[in-house]
Amino acid sequence: MVKETARAVEEFLEREIPTGRVLLLNNSGFGAYGNFPEPGVEELTEMIDVNVRAVVELTARLLPLIKRRGGVIVTVASTAAFQPTAYLAAYGATKSFVQHWSLALNEELRGSGVRTLAVCPGPTATAFFQRAGLKEGSVSDSLSMTCDDVVTAMLKAIAAGRSQVVPGWKNKVTTFLVSKLPKPLAARIAALVLAQFRMKKVAR
Ligand SMILES: NC(=O)c1ccc[n+]([C@@H]2O[C@H](COP(=O)([O-])OP(=O)(O)OC[C@H]3O[C@@H](n4cnc5c(N)ncnc54)[C@H](OP(=O)(O)O)[C@@H]3O)[C@@H](O)[C@H]2O)c1
C-alpha cells in the first residue's frame, strides 16, 4: 500500500511539478487511550503501522527523489515523545520513535541537500482526542493550541533550518523540565496526569 502511494506521489511530481525542492510531511497518525491492551490489539498494531511503519517506509521510498531535488522531511511527533505515557503507552512510544528517528536521520543527511524536522505539538484542537477514545474537551482550552499555531511554528522552524520544534511556550517549558527528570519519575508524573482522562473516556 505504502509502496503504491510512494510510486503515485513520485509519478505525480515528475508529471505536474518536475522541478523544485520537495516538502514531505509525515503527519498522519492517531492515538488510542486505555489500559494496555485496550482498546484492542488490532487498533494498537494499526496505530503502530500508521504512526511508525508508514512514516519510515514512505520516507525511505521517496528519499532518492527528495535527494535529487533537495528538500525537507517534516515528521509530526508529539510532546508525548518526551516521557513514557501510561494509558497512551503505545502511542507515546510511537512518537518517541519518530522523534529520535527524525533527529538521527537529520545527522545522516548532513551535506545532502535534505533536512528533517521533528514537530512536537502538545494538545491541539483537532479530531485527535475523539479518535483516541476520549470525550471532546478532554484537554482544557487554555492548554490547547490551534492547527494554525502549530503550522506557523513548523514553517518558522523550516525557515530557520531547525531539526526539532515544540510549538508554544507552555509545551516548551513542560518538555524542557520533563526531559531533565529521571525517566521513571517522569513516567510516574505523566501516569498521574493521564489517569485523569479515564473519566473522559468514551465507549468505542
Ligand atoms: N491533536 C493533538 O493534540 C496532537 C498532539 C500531538 C501530536 N499530534 C499528531 O498530529 C498528527 C495529526 O493528527 P491530528 O491532531 O490532526 O488528528 P486528526 O484530526 O484525527 O487527523 C489525523 C490524520 O491522520 C490520518 N489517519 C488517521 N488514521 C489513519 C489510517 N489508519 N491510515 C491513514 N491515515 C490515517 C487522518 O486521515 P483521514 O483524514 O483520511 O482520516 C488525518 O489526516 C498525528 O500524527 C498526531 O499523532 C496531534
Side-chain angles (χ1 to χ4, degrees):
M1 172 72 170
V2 175
K3 192 176 178 179
E4 288 73 31
T5 304
R7 192 175 300 138
V9 168
E10 220 164 347
E11 283 170 7
F12 171 81
L13 283 178
E14 296 294 350
R15 192 176 61 244
E16 304 292 338
I17 316 168
T19 57
R21 287 156 61 79
V22 176
L23 170 65
L24 171 61
L25 178 53
N26 290 314
N27 174 64
S28 293
F30 66 92
Y33 185 88
N35 269 313
F36 181 82
E38 286 175 6
V41 69
E42 277 78 20
E43 177 90 352
L44 293 177
T45 51
E46 183 187 338
M47 183 179 68
I48 292 165
D49 279 349
V50 175
N51 294 11
V52 174
R53 190 175 187 275
V55 170
V56 173
E57 185 178 346
L58 190 63
T59 305
R61 292 192 183 282
L62 290 176
L63 191 57
L65 167 80
I66 304 173
K67 273 186 170 168
R68 274 200 308 279
R69 295 174 53 161
V72 184
I73 299 164
V74 176
T75 300
V76 181
S78 168
T79 51
F82 288 80
Q83 68 283 294
T85 52
Y87 313 107
L88 282 163
Y91 173 73
T94 65
K95 293 301 176 179
S96 295
F97 180 106
V98 293
Q99 178 201 31
H100 284 203
W101 170 80
S102 176
L103 287 167
L105 196 57
N106 192 55
E107 297 306 318
E108 289 186 30
L109 289 169
R110 275 186 194 278
S112 70
V114 181
R115 292 189 293 107
T116 75
L117 170 68
V119 182
C120 303
T124 308
T126 66
F128 176 85
F129 289 94
Q130 208 175 5
R131 174 73 176 84
L134 294 163
K135 281 185 191 153
E136 229 179 302
S138 295
V139 175
S140 87
D141 287 346
S142 65
L143 293 176
S144 193
M145 292 180 72
T146 65
C147 292
D148 282 358
D149 294 334
V150 174
V151 171
T152 301
M154 177 191 89
L155 293 174
K156 283 183 180 166
I158 292 174
R162 296 181 55 191
S163 58
Q164 176 170 287
V165 62
V166 178
W169 71 266
K170 290 176 192 168
N171 295 324
K172 280 187 178 59
V173 171
T174 315
T175 52
F176 175 78
L177 293 176
V178 89
S179 61
K180 303 291 169 206
L181 297 176
K183 279 268 191 276
L185 179 58
R188 184 78 197 110
I189 294 169
L192 292 171
V193 173
L194 290 166
Q196 308 295 317
F197 284 174
R198 280 188 194 135
M199 308 295 292
K200 297 166 180 167
K201 224 175 127 184
V202 291
R204 296 171 71 92

